[in-house]
């Protein structure tokens, strides 16, 4: 089942020079889609636009076939689109538990919600009373993802999962994303600079270059032939088809 569909999406900060141009994209329930590409390719701009933080310059976005209004982040969250931004957007002076409880507000029992978050990331249990700003980078990323998951997204958008983190920390988080995709049927759209890590978990990957799809294939196929990805980055011999 397709949960996210973009048609002719134009995104950016000036209509005369969009960062993302004419993008057609679908994501299915339970699918992990990796968005990779060089710096300035439009990856973060795309996620910010999907999440309603930036108004669209053109095109349409639909969640489960229902059109999504442009530039309205609350509407995006209500529709099931939840973004974990690259800065994680935590309330740094509040404790880990308080950050989690804020995400649960209006969504049922808060204690049960915190317990559910700890099932995703047991390492946070001993850090519940610690201010978010005092957590390690890996713990902050776990908290940001746990907080997003407590909003019960249909589509989880994660911008730069590995930013500032050691690969071993990222590798401890990736199985949680796979669990969420397979068990909860949540679609995950992951922007990631570390291509090999992204392809390790992705069902499908897209190489975005200059705001356009330069290459798309399964994560496994691209991981087995990383040269195709490198050529796509450089704009050499790339094909958008699988």
């Amino acid at each position: 089942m397709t949960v996210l569909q973009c048609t002719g999406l134009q995104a950016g900060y000036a209509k005369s020079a969009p960062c993302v141009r004419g993008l057609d994209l679908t994501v299915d329930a339970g699918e992990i889609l990796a968005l990779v590409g060089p710096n300035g390719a439009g990856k973060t701009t795309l996620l910010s636009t999907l999440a309603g933080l930036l108004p669209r310059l053109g095109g349409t976005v639909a969640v489960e076939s229902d059109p999504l209004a442009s530039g309205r982040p609350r509407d995006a969250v209500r529709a099931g689109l939840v973004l974990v931004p690259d800065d994680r957007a935590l309330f740094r002076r509040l404790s880990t538990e308080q950050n989690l409880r804020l995400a649960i507000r209006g969504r049922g029992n808060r204690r049960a919600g915190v317990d559910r978050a700890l099932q995703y990331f047991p390492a946070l249990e001993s850090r519940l009373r610690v201010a978010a700003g005092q957590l390690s980078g890996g713990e902050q990323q776990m908290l940001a993802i746990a907080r997003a998951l407590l909003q019960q997204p249909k589509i989880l958008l994660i911008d730069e999962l590995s930013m500032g983190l050691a690969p071993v920390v990222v590798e401890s988080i990736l199985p949680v994303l796979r669990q969420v995709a397979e068990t909860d049927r949540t679609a995950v759209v992951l922007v990631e600079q570390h291509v090999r890590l992204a392809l390790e978990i992705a069902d499908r990957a897209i190489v975005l270059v200059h705001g356009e799809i330069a290459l798309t294939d399964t994560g496994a196929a691209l991981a087995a032939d990383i040269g195709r990805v490198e050529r796509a980055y450089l704009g050499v011999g790339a094909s958008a088809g699988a």
Side-chain angles (χ1 to χ4, degrees):
M1 173 184 175
T2 298
V3 291
L4 176 65
Q5 182 172 20
C6 306
T7 304
L9 181 63
Q10 305 266 0
Y13 301 88
K15 199 155 190 174
S16 59
C19 301
V20 177
R21 296 181 289 276
L23 185 76
D24 293 333
L25 175 68
T26 61
V27 187
D28 291 340
E31 180 181 25
I32 298 180
L33 173 68
L35 289 175
V36 300
N39 290 334
K43 304 183 298 295
T44 292
T45 300
L46 173 58
L47 291 198
S48 296
T49 302
L50 292 175
L53 300 176
L54 285 175
R56 293 193 295 273
L57 301 179
T60 62
V61 176
V63 176
E64 293 183 339
S65 300
D66 292 329
L68 187 66
S70 172
R72 296 182 182 177
R74 288 186 179 181
D75 287 358
V77 171
R78 290 192 191 100
L81 268 165
V82 178
L83 171 67
V84 178
D86 57 4
D87 63 1
R88 296 159 193 158
L90 299 172
F91 295 100
R92 297 178 63 83
R93 294 186 179 182
L94 298 183
S95 71
T96 297
E97 183 170 8
Q98 288 170 327
N99 270 272
L100 293 172
R101 286 177 178 270
L102 284 173
I104 306 163
R105 185 171 54 187
R107 296 175 183 270
N109 185 289
R110 293 190 180 187
R111 182 64 247 179
V114 171
D115 290 343
R116 189 164 65 251
L118 297 178
Q119 290 176 3
Y120 293 125
F121 298 108
L124 294 177
E125 185 167 9
S126 64
R127 311 291 279 166
L128 285 176
R129 295 186 179 181
V130 177
Q134 296 177 2
L135 299 175
S136 69
E139 290 166 343
Q140 288 184 4
Q141 187 65 284
M142 292 177 192
L143 175 56
I145 295 172
R147 188 181 62 177
L149 291 174
L150 290 181
Q151 298 177 65
Q152 301 176 345
K154 297 173 183 175
I155 305 137
L156 178 64
L157 311 173
I158 306 178
D159 194 8
E160 298 294 2
L161 171 69
S162 68
M163 182 176 287
L165 304 182
V168 66
V169 176
V170 179
E171 289 172 358
S172 72
I173 296 175
L174 293 180
V176 176
L177 300 183
R178 174 51 63 191
Q179 174 190 349
V180 166
E182 293 181 353
T183 304
D184 299 340
R185 303 301 296 163
T186 302
V188 179
V189 181
L190 175 68
V191 163
E192 182 51 63
Q193 286 289 351
H194 290 280
V195 175
R196 292 184 186 276
L197 283 174
L199 297 180
E200 179 181 320
I201 190 176
D203 298 299
R204 185 163 52 98
I206 286 174
V207 180
L208 202 64
V209 179
H210 301 308
E212 298 178 347
I213 296 175
L215 176 66
T216 181
D217 208 333
T218 65
L222 293 180
D225 187 2
I226 202 69
R228 290 176 65 202
V229 179
E230 294 170 350
R231 291 191 295 274
Y233 268 57
L234 298 172
V236 178
S239 170

